[in-house]
Amino acid sequence: MNYHEIAFPENSLFLVTGGAGFIGSNLTEALLSMGYRVRVLDNLLTGYEKNIAGFRDNPKFEFIKGDIRDAATCDRACEGVSYVLHQAAEVSVPESIEQPVSYTMTNIIGTVNVMEAAAKHGVKKMTYASSAAVYGDDETMPKREEIVGRRLSTYAVTKFVDEEYAYQYTLNYGLDCYGMRYFNVYGRRQDPNGAYAAVIPKFIECLLRDEPPTINGDGEQSRDFVYVEDVVQANLLACAAPHEAAGEAYNVAAGKRSSLNEMYAVLSKLFGKDLKPVFGPERKGDIRHSGADISKIKKNLGYAPEYDFSRGITAAIQWYKENLKA
C-alpha cells in the first residue's frame, strides 16, 4: 500500500536513529513529506551529512549529533517522542567477525539504551532494524520467522539478541516493539563505497564506470532484494499496528529471490553493457540462500510491496546516474 495513506496524530514527533544513513534518511524524507516532525540521532560515522542536507531548512526537522552507546544521549533524544524508528547500527557481516566487541556495544547495548529511553518517555511504538542474517545456517526456504538456525556472524548474533530484548520490552516495560527483519534492501542513497558495501550499488557504480564488478563466490547465492520504499512502508505500518502485533519480528522483503548472477544480468541489460564479472572468494559469514515468506507481515501489519525488482532497480539506477560522479 502507499504509505502516505497511513495517518498518525497531527503533532506526532518521530525519532529516527541512524537517520543520516541509507534507510534512515529515506524514512526521514518520507515522514517530512507527510508533514510530521522528525528528530534524527546520528553520530555520522556511517551516515552522511549529505543525506540530510536537504532537510536542514525544514522547520519540522531536528538533528542531534550523538551516539546510541551513550544512554544520556538516548534519553535526551527520546524526550517528547511519539514513535521511534531505530536504524542506527553497525551493519557489515565480515567486519562484525573482525570486530565483535564494537558490534556488541553498538548493536546490543546501543539498542537497549534506545529501548530504555523510549520506555521511560512513554513512546507509543518502536520499530527497529533486524536482519535476515538471524536465520543463520537454517536451510528452510523461503525463510519463515519462527524457524532460525545457528547464527554465522557476530552481526547476526547482535540482531537476534535485539529481537529478544524487544520481546522483553514489549512484555514487561510497556513499549510496543516491532522487528523489521530486513532482507537485501537497495535504493537511493545506498553507499557504493567501502570494502563492505552492498552488492547492488557496487555493481551499478562499476557499470557506470565501465569496470567489471567482482562477485564473491560463484554468483549462484540467492537474495531477496527489496526496494527501500517498501521498507519505509513496513516501518510506518508497524508504527500504526495494534499492540497484539508487537513483540514480534517480521520479514521485510519482496517475497522473491534472485541469484547474484541473475541480478547482474538484469543490470547489464538495463545498462546495455556486456562486462563479464570477476569471481572472487566467498565472504565469510554469508548465508548461501536467502528468500522470505512475507505472509506474516502481510497478515499482521497489512504490508503489500509495491516495487518488483524491475521497477525498483530502474528507480535506483536513475538516482545513481544523477548522483554518482563518473
Side-chain angles (χ1 to χ4, degrees), residues 10-49:
E10 187 176 340
N11 206 35
S12 295
L13 172 59
F14 289 80
L15 170 65
V16 182
T17 71
F22 162 44
I23 295 175
S25 64
N26 278 283
L27 286 164
T28 299
E29 181 178 39
L31 288 163
L32 290 172
S33 75
M34 296 165 72
Y36 298 111
R37 295 183 296 147
V38 181
R39 176 182 296 158
V40 163
L41 171 63
D42 202 301
N43 61 10
L44 298 180
L45 290 180
T46 55
Y48 297 96
E49 169 65 36

Side-chain angles (χ1 to χ4, degrees), residues 89-321:
E90 295 184 59
V91 298
S92 166
V93 167
E95 186 181 62
S96 77
I97 296 172
E98 299 165 4
Q99 301 179 26
V101 175
S102 177
Y103 271 68
T104 298
M105 294 304 295
T106 299
N107 291 3
I108 298 178
I109 302 302
T111 295
V112 175
N113 283 341
V114 175
M115 289 178 179
E116 180 67 12
K120 172 185 172 182
H121 288 283
V123 168
K124 295 176 182 178
K125 306 281 182 182
M126 174 171 167
T127 72
Y128 63 95
S130 185
S131 169
V134 302
Y135 288 108
D137 63 5
D138 179 73
E139 295 182 356
T140 305
M141 197 66 63
K143 304 297 184 187
R144 300 205 314 272
E145 286 88 347
E146 68 275 13
I147 304 174
V148 296
R150 296 293 300 271
R151 267 58 60 193
L152 299 176
S153 65
T154 307
Y155 171 71
V157 170
T158 66
K159 292 302 183 179
F160 186 71
V161 172
D162 287 348
E163 292 184 2
E164 293 295 306
Y165 272 104
Y167 177 74
Q168 293 302 316
Y169 270 86
T170 301
L171 182 70
N172 294 316
Y173 303 102
L175 176 66
D176 281 0
C177 296
Y178 304 80
M180 303 284 100
R181 206 176 269 180
Y182 297 146
F183 279 67
N184 283 64
V185 187
Y186 69 96
R188 60 185 177 273
R189 300 197 196 96
Q190 190 173 30
D191 185 15
N193 299 307
Y196 307 117
V199 64
I200 285 182
K202 283 185 81 76
F203 284 5
I204 291 175
E205 182 180 50
C206 286
L207 286 164
L208 283 171
R209 295 178 177 176
D210 290 320
E211 299 170 358
T214 297
I215 294 179
N216 297 108
D218 61 7
E220 288 306 301
Q221 61 269 45
S222 62
R223 297 291 182 263
D224 192 325
F225 296 103
V226 56
Y227 189 58
V228 69
E229 283 286 289
D230 286 328
V231 170
V232 171
Q233 178 202 150
N235 276 272
L236 298 191
L237 284 168
C239 287
H243 168 71
E244 290 73 22
E248 301 278 345
Y250 295 94
N251 289 340
V252 180
K256 297 177 181 178
R257 63 188 173 102
S258 306
S259 73
L260 297 193
N261 290 333
E262 289 169 338
M263 181 271 289
Y264 180 64
V266 171
L267 281 176
S268 297
K269 186 175 180 181
L270 287 170
F271 274 95
K273 295 181 179 180
D274 186 22
L275 295 168
K276 301 299 181 188
V278 176
F279 291 93
E282 292 185 10
R283 292 204 319 176
K284 192 175 181 181
D286 266 1
I287 293 172
R288 178 69 173 168
H289 296 293
S290 181
D293 180 334
I294 56 174
S295 56
K296 180 179 174 182
I297 190 171
K298 284 182 172 181
K299 179 183 176 183
N300 289 12
L301 303 187
Y303 174 74
E306 295 199 321
Y307 287 79
D308 60 17
F309 186 70
S310 177
R311 182 185 179 194
I313 201 64
T314 300
I317 288 170
Q318 185 60 38
W319 186 88
Y320 285 106
K321 283 182 175 179

